[in-house]
Amino acid sequence: SSMEVVLHYRPHQRDVIKLQKFAEAAVKEFPSRQLPRFAPWFPNDLHRLPLKPKKHAPVITCEEAEELKQLSTPSEYVTGSSDYDCTKNLVEFHSSLKHAPTSIQAEAVHRPINLDYQGEPSNGKQKLKRSWSVSLPSTELKEKIRPLSQELQNNLERLKLHAFYRAKWTIEQTICNNQNLEDIWIKLNRLIKQNELPSCNATIQRSVGQIWIFCDILYCEYVRNILREKLSLTDKMNLLVHKYGIIFSL
């Protein structure tokens, strides 16, 4: 007997030898062993069991079973048909995609991911509401990070918050110094891509006209100074922590 194996793989994983070994391992028979004879740890005698049902289980007649069978509708199950393709809705398997994105930052800058949009696009274009950009872990910035200010340390001690709690800076149009929010978002993505903002990930909430920058409290003052310098932001920004509200302003 012969078996047909269809192997789906991502564009950047096209090593023929590895794919062949992966396919061979997938169809290899599972090892089996002889199970020992089952020996119950309790007496296998219904008459000697300490607990027994007070009444017998209900009995369904053949006529009642036929009535139930007619009333119930059979569920539709997905069967393994020959034309089933599990990669149909996965963008990375489309032929139009030349190569997989090398980083989340590049994806966010050049082709923002739409997480909120539902329904048909208006005027032929997809309406974007929210996009993400995420930083990479790095140890090169440790020497640049200064200790937290005394005011912030006092607030952390009062609220019993650890320095590795996640906090959020919010950028609104009012502090953009006559810059467009989309331009600020592009510059911010560049900073995150170049790994200048430690522990940061950011999202633009176009529906409310805000950019949110999340970071560890340990780096929040350093991040704020970089944002002020590189993005030319004016006025103070509030630092928020989930369930605690505003804990600091800078």
CSV table of all heavy atoms in Angstrom, one decimal, residues 21-44:
chain,number,residue,atom,x,y,z
A,21,LYS,N,13.5,14.5,6.2
A,21,LYS,CA,13.6,13.8,7.5
A,21,LYS,C,12.3,14.1,8.4
A,21,LYS,O,11.8,13.2,9.0
A,21,LYS,CB,14.8,14.3,8.3
A,21,LYS,CG,16.1,13.8,7.7
A,21,LYS,CD,17.3,14.2,8.5
A,21,LYS,CE,18.6,13.7,7.9
A,21,LYS,NZ,19.8,14.2,8.7
A,22,PHE,N,11.8,15.3,8.3
A,22,PHE,CA,10.6,15.7,9.0
A,22,PHE,C,9.4,14.9,8.5
A,22,PHE,O,8.6,14.4,9.3
A,22,PHE,CB,10.3,17.2,8.8
A,22,PHE,CG,9.2,17.7,9.7
A,22,PHE,CD1,9.3,18.0,11.0
A,22,PHE,CD2,7.9,17.8,9.1
A,22,PHE,CE1,8.3,18.5,11.8
A,22,PHE,CE2,6.9,18.3,9.9
A,22,PHE,CZ,7.0,18.6,11.2
A,23,ALA,N,9.3,14.7,7.2
A,23,ALA,CA,8.1,14.0,6.7
A,23,ALA,C,8.3,12.5,7.0
A,23,ALA,O,7.3,11.8,7.4
A,23,ALA,CB,8.1,14.1,5.1
A,24,GLU,N,9.5,11.9,7.0
A,24,GLU,CA,9.7,10.5,7.3
A,24,GLU,C,9.3,10.3,8.8
A,24,GLU,O,8.7,9.3,9.1
A,24,GLU,CB,11.1,10.1,7.0
A,24,GLU,CG,11.4,10.0,5.5
A,24,GLU,CD,12.9,9.7,5.3
A,24,GLU,OE1,13.7,9.8,6.3
A,24,GLU,OE2,13.3,9.5,4.1
A,25,ALA,N,9.7,11.2,9.6
A,25,ALA,CA,9.4,11.0,11.1
A,25,ALA,C,7.9,11.1,11.3
A,25,ALA,O,7.4,10.5,12.2
A,25,ALA,CB,10.1,12.1,11.9
A,26,ALA,N,7.2,11.9,10.5
A,26,ALA,CA,5.8,12.1,10.7
A,26,ALA,C,5.0,10.8,10.4
A,26,ALA,O,3.9,10.6,11.0
A,26,ALA,CB,5.2,13.3,9.9
A,27,VAL,N,5.4,10.1,9.4
A,27,VAL,CA,4.7,8.9,9.0
A,27,VAL,C,5.2,7.6,9.6
A,27,VAL,O,4.7,6.5,9.4
A,27,VAL,CB,4.7,8.7,7.4
A,27,VAL,CG1,4.0,9.9,6.8
A,27,VAL,CG2,6.1,8.6,6.9
A,28,LYS,N,6.3,7.7,10.4
A,28,LYS,CA,6.8,6.6,11.1
A,28,LYS,C,5.9,6.0,12.1
A,28,LYS,O,5.2,6.7,12.8
A,28,LYS,CB,8.2,7.0,11.7
A,28,LYS,CG,9.0,5.8,12.3
A,28,LYS,CD,10.3,6.3,12.9
A,28,LYS,CE,11.1,5.1,13.4
A,28,LYS,NZ,12.4,5.6,14.0
A,29,GLU,N,5.8,4.7,12.2
A,29,GLU,CA,4.9,4.1,13.1
A,29,GLU,C,5.3,4.3,14.6
A,29,GLU,O,6.5,4.3,14.8
A,29,GLU,CB,4.8,2.6,12.8
A,29,GLU,CG,4.1,2.2,11.5
A,29,GLU,CD,3.9,0.7,11.4
A,29,GLU,OE1,4.2,0.0,12.4
A,29,GLU,OE2,3.5,0.3,10.3
A,30,PHE,N,4.3,4.5,15.4
A,30,PHE,CA,4.6,4.8,16.8
A,30,PHE,C,5.1,3.4,17.5
A,30,PHE,O,4.5,2.4,17.2
A,30,PHE,CB,3.4,5.3,17.6
A,30,PHE,CG,3.1,6.7,17.2
A,30,PHE,CD1,2.1,7.0,16.4
A,30,PHE,CD2,3.9,7.8,17.8
A,30,PHE,CE1,1.8,8.3,16.1
A,30,PHE,CE2,3.6,9.1,17.5
A,30,PHE,CZ,2.5,9.4,16.6
A,31,PRO,N,6.1,3.5,18.3
A,31,PRO,CA,6.5,2.2,19.0
A,31,PRO,C,5.4,1.8,20.0
A,31,PRO,O,4.8,2.6,20.6
A,31,PRO,CB,7.8,2.6,19.7
A,31,PRO,CG,7.7,4.1,19.9
A,31,PRO,CD,6.9,4.6,18.7
A,32,SER,N,5.2,0.5,20.0
A,32,SER,CA,4.1,0.0,20.9
A,32,SER,C,4.7,-1.0,21.9
A,32,SER,O,5.7,-1.7,21.5
A,32,SER,CB,3.0,-0.7,20.1
A,32,SER,OG,3.5,-1.7,19.3
A,33,ARG,N,4.1,-1.2,23.0
A,33,ARG,CA,4.6,-2.1,24.0
A,33,ARG,C,3.4,-2.9,24.6
A,33,ARG,O,2.3,-2.4,24.6
A,33,ARG,CB,5.4,-1.5,25.1
A,33,ARG,CG,4.6,-0.5,25.9
A,33,ARG,CD,5.4,0.2,27.0
A,33,ARG,NE,4.7,1.2,27.8
A,33,ARG,CZ,4.0,0.8,28.9
A,33,ARG,NH1,4.0,-0.4,29.3
A,33,ARG,NH2,3.3,1.8,29.5
A,34,GLN,N,3.7,-4.1,25.0
A,34,GLN,CA,2.7,-4.9,25.6
A,34,GLN,C,2.3,-4.4,27.0
A,34,GLN,O,3.1,-4.3,27.8
A,34,GLN,CB,3.1,-6.4,25.6
A,34,GLN,CG,2.0,-7.4,26.1
A,34,GLN,CD,0.9,-7.5,25.0
A,34,GLN,OE1,1.2,-7.3,23.8
A,34,GLN,NE2,-0.3,-7.8,25.4
A,35,LEU,N,1.0,-4.0,27.1
A,35,LEU,CA,0.6,-3.5,28.4
A,35,LEU,C,0.4,-4.7,29.4
A,35,LEU,O,-0.1,-5.8,29.0
A,35,LEU,CB,-0.7,-2.7,28.3
A,35,LEU,CG,-0.6,-1.5,27.4
A,35,LEU,CD1,-2.0,-0.8,27.3
A,35,LEU,CD2,0.3,-0.5,28.1
A,36,PRO,N,0.8,-4.5,30.6
A,36,PRO,CA,0.6,-5.6,31.6
A,36,PRO,C,-0.9,-5.8,31.9
A,36,PRO,O,-1.8,-4.9,31.7
A,36,PRO,CB,1.3,-5.1,32.9
A,36,PRO,CG,1.3,-3.6,32.7
A,36,PRO,CD,1.4,-3.3,31.2
A,37,ARG,N,-1.3,-6.9,32.4
A,37,ARG,CA,-2.7,-7.2,32.6
A,37,ARG,C,-3.2,-6.3,33.8
A,37,ARG,O,-2.5,-6.1,34.8
A,37,ARG,CB,-2.8,-8.7,33.0
A,37,ARG,CG,-4.3,-9.1,33.3
A,37,ARG,CD,-4.3,-10.6,33.6
A,37,ARG,NE,-5.7,-11.0,34.0
A,37,ARG,CZ,-6.3,-10.9,35.1
A,37,ARG,NH1,-5.6,-10.3,36.1
A,37,ARG,NH2,-7.5,-11.3,35.4
A,38,PHE,N,-4.4,-5.7,33.5
A,38,PHE,CA,-4.9,-4.8,34.5
A,38,PHE,C,-5.4,-5.5,35.8
A,38,PHE,O,-6.1,-6.5,35.7
A,38,PHE,CB,-6.1,-4.0,33.9
A,38,PHE,CG,-6.8,-3.2,34.9
A,38,PHE,CD1,-6.2,-2.0,35.4
A,38,PHE,CD2,-8.1,-3.5,35.4
A,38,PHE,CE1,-6.8,-1.2,36.3
A,38,PHE,CE2,-8.7,-2.7,36.4
A,38,PHE,CZ,-8.1,-1.5,36.8
A,39,ALA,N,-4.9,-5.1,36.9
A,39,ALA,CA,-5.3,-5.7,38.2
A,39,ALA,C,-5.8,-4.5,39.1
A,39,ALA,O,-5.1,-3.6,39.5
A,39,ALA,CB,-4.1,-6.3,38.9
A,40,PRO,N,-7.1,-4.5,39.3
A,40,PRO,CA,-7.7,-3.4,40.1
A,40,PRO,C,-7.2,-3.4,41.5
A,40,PRO,O,-6.9,-4.4,42.1
A,40,PRO,CB,-9.2,-3.7,40.0
A,40,PRO,CG,-9.3,-5.1,39.8
A,40,PRO,CD,-8.1,-5.5,38.9
A,41,TRP,N,-7.1,-2.2,42.1
A,41,TRP,CA,-6.6,-2.1,43.4
A,41,TRP,C,-7.7,-2.3,44.5
A,41,TRP,O,-7.4,-2.3,45.7
A,41,TRP,CB,-5.9,-0.7,43.6
A,41,TRP,CG,-6.8,0.4,43.3
A,41,TRP,CD1,-6.9,1.1,42.1
A,41,TRP,CD2,-7.7,1.1,44.2
A,41,TRP,NE1,-7.8,2.1,42.2
A,41,TRP,CE2,-8.3,2.1,43.5
A,41,TRP,CE3,-8.0,0.9,45.6
A,41,TRP,CZ2,-9.3,3.0,44.1
A,41,TRP,CZ3,-9.0,1.8,46.1
A,41,TRP,CH2,-9.6,2.8,45.4
A,42,PHE,N,-8.9,-2.4,44.0
A,42,PHE,CA,-10.1,-2.6,44.9
A,42,PHE,C,-10.7,-3.9,44.5
A,42,PHE,O,-10.5,-4.5,43.5
A,42,PHE,CB,-11.1,-1.4,44.7
A,42,PHE,CG,-11.5,-1.2,43.2
A,42,PHE,CD1,-12.6,-2.0,42.7
A,42,PHE,CD2,-10.8,-0.3,42.4
A,42,PHE,CE1,-12.9,-1.8,41.4
A,42,PHE,CE2,-11.2,-0.1,41.1
A,42,PHE,CZ,-12.3,-0.9,40.6
A,43,PRO,N,-11.5,-4.5,45.4
A,43,PRO,CA,-12.2,-5.7,45.2
A,43,PRO,C,-13.1,-5.6,44.0
A,43,PRO,O,-13.9,-4.7,43.9
A,43,PRO,CB,-13.0,-6.0,46.5
A,43,PRO,CG,-12.3,-5.2,47.5
A,43,PRO,CD,-11.8,-4.0,46.8
A,44,ASN,N,-13.0,-6.6,43.0
A,44,ASN,CA,-13.8,-6.5,41.8
A,44,ASN,C,-15.0,-7.3,42.0
A,44,ASN,O,-15.4,-8.2,41.2
A,44,ASN,CB,-12.9,-7.0,40.6
A,44,ASN,CG,-13.6,-6.7,39.3
A,44,ASN,OD1,-14.4,-5.8,39.2
A,44,ASN,ND2,-13.2,-7.4,38.3
